[in-house]
Amino acid sequence: MATNTNLFADKETNNWIKASLALNVTKQGFTNFLDTELQNVHANVGKSCGNCPIEKLIPCPTKPHCSKRTRKYCPFHKSQRPQPCPTCDNVKQNIILQHRYGGPSWRNTRAEKWTHDYWEIGKCFLPPDGYSSVSSVQESDFNGVISIMLNCKHFQTCLSSTCLSPPPPNNQCPLEKVRQIGRDVRHTADCKVTDADLQDYFQTLSTLLADPICLQHDSFAMTACTRLRDLQNDRNSVQELGELLKESHQTLTHATEAGERISQEAKRTLSKAMQKLDAAIKCGEQRLKRETEVGEQRIESKTHIGEERIGSKTQHGEQLIENKARDAELCIERTVQNAIMRMNETSQIDYERGVADRFHRQPSSLDTPRPFNSECGISVVAAIYLHRQPMG
Ligand SMILES: [Zn+2]
Ligand SMILES: [Zn+2]
């Protein structure tokens, strides 16, 4: 059952809801691409020893990761003192080289997992705070996903040059513009988006998802493009809309927990949208139930009428057959009686003719005609009649 996203009376509020959902759909479209490319980055930065935590690999003090409040105490290095490890330092240097601004987000990553977990490398390219507990690309939000693509220089090789030209952090850079859409939607004061802005969002997000270098052939990105078109044209199912709303609401909740300044109005509006959709679903279910009940009653009464009709037609039919059978019996009986009578008459005439002949010729006892045995004629015709009678 298709539905539309117009849960609110205000058009621009509905536009904002669509924009929020579009961001989540777009993020999902990037997950497979990001997973694949981060595995390539992981392979390129080399193997670490697998024992060193990140605190050990960062000298103290290093801004902005650790800020020594007093000469003796650093909250970042409280459990682990810096200690050189050539193997891990090499990986660390390669990560720095891959970072567009040379400043990986060390606080997000667990360096002891660098050997086997490409996501721990990917986390170095996320915004500096709020992502340490995010355990996969899928769990990451729109802002995180776009930040990795902007901050990790490897993505220059798997996106069209137009996506990164002019290069970040220029606000005219198309990928920077995409990140800004996310910020505008999350930090909104009034949860309203104009028609023109919404069309521009859909256009920008779809263009990026259909980038010809890799994404055009990525099934996740292709699905996301379709879902964006559905969203734009109000073709989502109720279930899909419900899921999207829930995901968008969770995204905002996570972002708030991660310390991002999320508009309270945004969370309120998404909650309200979920409630409205729930109410619409319940109303639809009740209507369906009512319609089913009415349908069942109708079928039952029609069946009853049908049974009665069949019953009366059967009786009528039986009566007709009985009448016809009786008529047929009478007709046969009459025919048989007529035949017997005709036979008897014919025999009588023959007998009389025989007697007359005998008087004309010389009389002889051998010639005496025998009277016609009418009983014999009757039994023959009766046998035919019984044999042919089909009904009991
Ligand atoms: Zn090490
Ligand atoms: Zn420190």
Side-chain angles (χ1 to χ4, degrees), residues 96-368:
I96 292 171
L97 286 173
Q98 281 284 353
H99 198 281
R100 185 175 299 277
Y101 307 107
S105 301
W106 299 128
R107 265 191 305 218
N108 286 330
T109 189
R110 273 166 291 185
E112 58 273 35
K113 291 189 172 181
W114 282 354
T115 39
H116 60 271
D117 191 351
Y118 62 89
W119 177 239
E120 290 300 329
I121 305 280
K123 281 159 86 178
C124 299
F125 303 98
L126 284 165
D129 289 303
Y131 288 89
S132 59
S133 61
V134 175
S135 60
S136 65
V137 175
Q138 288 73 22
E139 242 185 56
S140 184
D141 63 3
F142 179 82
N143 186 44
V145 164
I146 302 296
S147 294
I148 292 176
M149 287 158 72
L150 277 164
N151 293 337
C152 180
K153 289 196 281 187
H154 169 80
F155 285 88
Q156 287 172 187
T157 64
C158 35
L159 287 169
S160 298
S161 55
T162 50
C163 288
L164 292 157
S165 165
N170 190 314
N171 62 12
Q172 288 307 302
C173 164
L175 203 52
E176 284 285 5
K177 281 188 180 172
V178 168
R179 177 154 70 177
Q180 193 55 44
I181 294 175
R183 285 177 177 153
D184 290 346
V185 171
R186 288 197 311 279
H187 300 161
T188 176
D190 57 1
C191 294
K192 287 181 197 290
V193 170
T194 65
D195 285 350
D197 279 347
L198 184 68
Q199 293 317 309
D200 184 49
Y201 292 172
F202 275 119
Q203 180 64 40
T204 309
L205 298 175
S206 303
T207 305
L208 183 61
L209 277 168
D211 188 79
I213 305 284
C214 296
L215 287 162
Q216 201 177 38
H217 314 290
D218 184 292
S219 64
F220 281 64
M222 281 155 69
T223 303
C225 275
T226 310
R227 291 177 84 191
L228 283 187
R229 269 198 301 278
D230 289 346
L231 201 54
Q232 200 170 3
N233 300 307
D234 292 320
R235 286 196 305 241
N236 300 82
S237 69
V238 172
Q239 287 76 9
E240 194 176 18
L241 199 59
E243 276 167 32
L244 284 174
L245 277 171
K246 213 157 74 183
E247 284 166 14
S248 299
H249 189 259
Q250 278 171 355
T251 304
L252 283 193
T253 308
H254 286 159
T256 314
E257 283 164 8
E260 203 181 329
R261 187 185 48 81
I262 296 295
S263 136
Q264 284 306 307
E265 190 58 23
K267 277 198 286 185
R268 258 200 304 276
T269 307
L270 274 179
S271 296
K272 231 186 277 173
M274 289 199 295
Q275 285 165 8
K276 277 173 185 275
L277 187 72
D278 269 351
I281 290 172
K282 279 208 188 84
C283 180
E285 282 173 352
Q286 279 172 0
R287 203 179 52 217
L288 198 66
K289 196 171 164 235
R290 270 201 307 276
E291 281 170 8
T292 309
E293 278 172 3
V294 170
E296 278 174 1
Q297 280 173 4
R298 261 191 215 154
I299 289 169
E300 213 169 284
S301 86
K302 291 233 169 197
T303 308
H304 194 64
I305 291 168
E307 280 173 354
E308 279 181 350
R309 262 194 213 155
I310 290 168
S312 83
K313 290 230 171 201
T314 308
Q315 272 181 355
H316 182 64
E318 282 173 354
Q319 192 65 54
L320 269 182
I321 291 167
E322 221 168 272
N323 291 347
K324 292 241 168 200
R326 203 178 303 127
D327 288 350
E329 269 176 46
L330 285 172
C331 177
I332 290 166
E333 220 168 278
R334 262 200 309 276
T335 310
V336 170
Q337 275 172 1
N338 286 341
I340 292 168
M341 269 161 65
R342 267 204 306 277
M343 278 166 133
N344 285 343
E345 280 166 11
T346 312
S347 306
Q348 190 59 41
I349 291 165
D350 284 349
Y351 174 73
E352 282 165 3
R353 200 179 285 152
V355 171
D357 281 354
R358 199 178 50 178
F359 282 114
H360 289 102
R361 283 187 274 151
Q362 284 191 329
S364 158
S365 60
L366 290 169
D367 267 351
T368 309

Side-chain angles (χ1 to χ4, degrees), residues 58-62 65-68 74-77 81-82:
I58 308 282
C60 192
T62 300
H65 314 293
C66 56
S67 47
K68 247 183 175 173
C74 166
F76 184 69
H77 284 106
R81 298 301 306 160

Side-chain angles (χ1 to χ4, degrees), residues 76-94:
F76 184 69
H77 284 106
K78 65 181 177 197
S79 57
Q80 187 76 42
R81 298 301 306 160
Q83 206 178 339
C85 167
T87 315
C88 293
D89 279 338
N90 179 50
V91 178
K92 191 187 118 188
Q93 281 311 312
N94 288 335

